[in-house]
Amino acid sequence: MHEWSRVNTNGHSVGFVPTMGALHTGHEVLLQQSKHENDFTVLSIFVNPTQFNVQSDFDAYPRNDQRDLQIAEHHGVDVVYLPTAETMYPEGWRIFVEPGTAADPLEGRGRPGHFRGVATVVTKLFNTVQPDRAYFGKKDYQQLAVIRQMVSELNFNISVIGVDTVRHDDGLAMSSRNVRLTAEHRSAAPIIHQSLLAAESLIASGVTSAKAVQDHVTSILNATPDCRVEYVEVVHTTDLSPDAEITSAIVICVAAWFGDVRLIDNIEILINQR
Ligand code: AMP
């Protein structure tokens, strides 16, 4: 791995994978795609305090830098950027990036300030790394939409690449938070993906009412012991706006709790491509 200096890339392309560490196969797929499409790959690991709205969630967030560095080495990552909180947010700092409309629904309602923290840290990381391409998982679908909107509205010269969600064999989306599930909750949690597949089948059978689809997913989750639904919403893929009738590409987004662990997942349904 090398010291990072953007001017030394000599016209070679730079791919960037921003993460909060505790790397798993979901992150590794992003790294592989970046390695495949670029001359250099930069990975950042920073548990960003400004995107957590609950201090205990920040404190409990898993951290394992040594293991992460081994994974990065294994994938041939060229540079790992591990900024300190003091570098990112120096004494007296107060400038935030205000995200666009994609930040308002879904996570934006339950986690005030979350996407403001995301937009701010990603801007700082983009300015430091100056990548040609940046890789984000569709697992965090709204985050991807917020970043796309920010890159467009703030004229960043960066291609944002969305990567499909990587799942465990039982369908649970890989997440650094999964390690905090109890054994019982871990075995129940795949119901989230199953409920979204059930919604996909319902739409394939001809149902076009967003409310009917939402109710179907909610009732499956509510029938699962210890599962507390925060939201189930059907929104357009681009601007995440709601619509009563499903007539174009949509994404169904879920946030649900098992004990004190909050999980999110989604399924894209590209109506016009069926
Ligand atoms: P995080 O470390 O949770 O901030 O995630 C860093 C990046 O990895 C984000 O772009 C996430 O969307 C992406 N990511 C996390 N989990 C997955 C997954 N299961 N599949 C694909 N991408 C993921």
Side-chain angles (χ1 to χ4, degrees), residues 25-53:
T25 312
H27 301 112
E28 291 179 72
V29 168
L30 269 62
L31 291 172
Q32 283 163 351
Q33 190 165 336
S34 173
K35 283 291 293 179
H36 184 68
E37 295 176 352
N38 300 281
D39 300 313
F40 289 97
T41 288
V42 180
L43 162 71
S44 69
I45 299 173
F46 180 60
V47 184
N48 175 35
T50 63
Q51 72 188 70
F52 286 82
N53 31 10

Side-chain angles (χ1 to χ4, degrees), residues 8 26 40 68 73 78 113 136 144 158 173 192 204 213 221 267:
N8 285 344
F40 289 97
D68 290 348
E73 188 103 52
D78 298 285
F136 292 87
L144 174 62
I158 297 171
I192 297 176
V213 171
L221 294 175
I267 193 165

Side-chain angles (χ1 to χ4, degrees), residues 16 23 25 46 48-49 54 77 113 118 139-140 144 176 178 225 239 249:
F16 178 41
L23 301 182
T25 312
F46 180 60
N48 175 35
V54 179
V77 168
V118 170
K139 154 83 170 44
D140 300 284
L144 174 62
S176 307
N178 292 349
D239 60 1

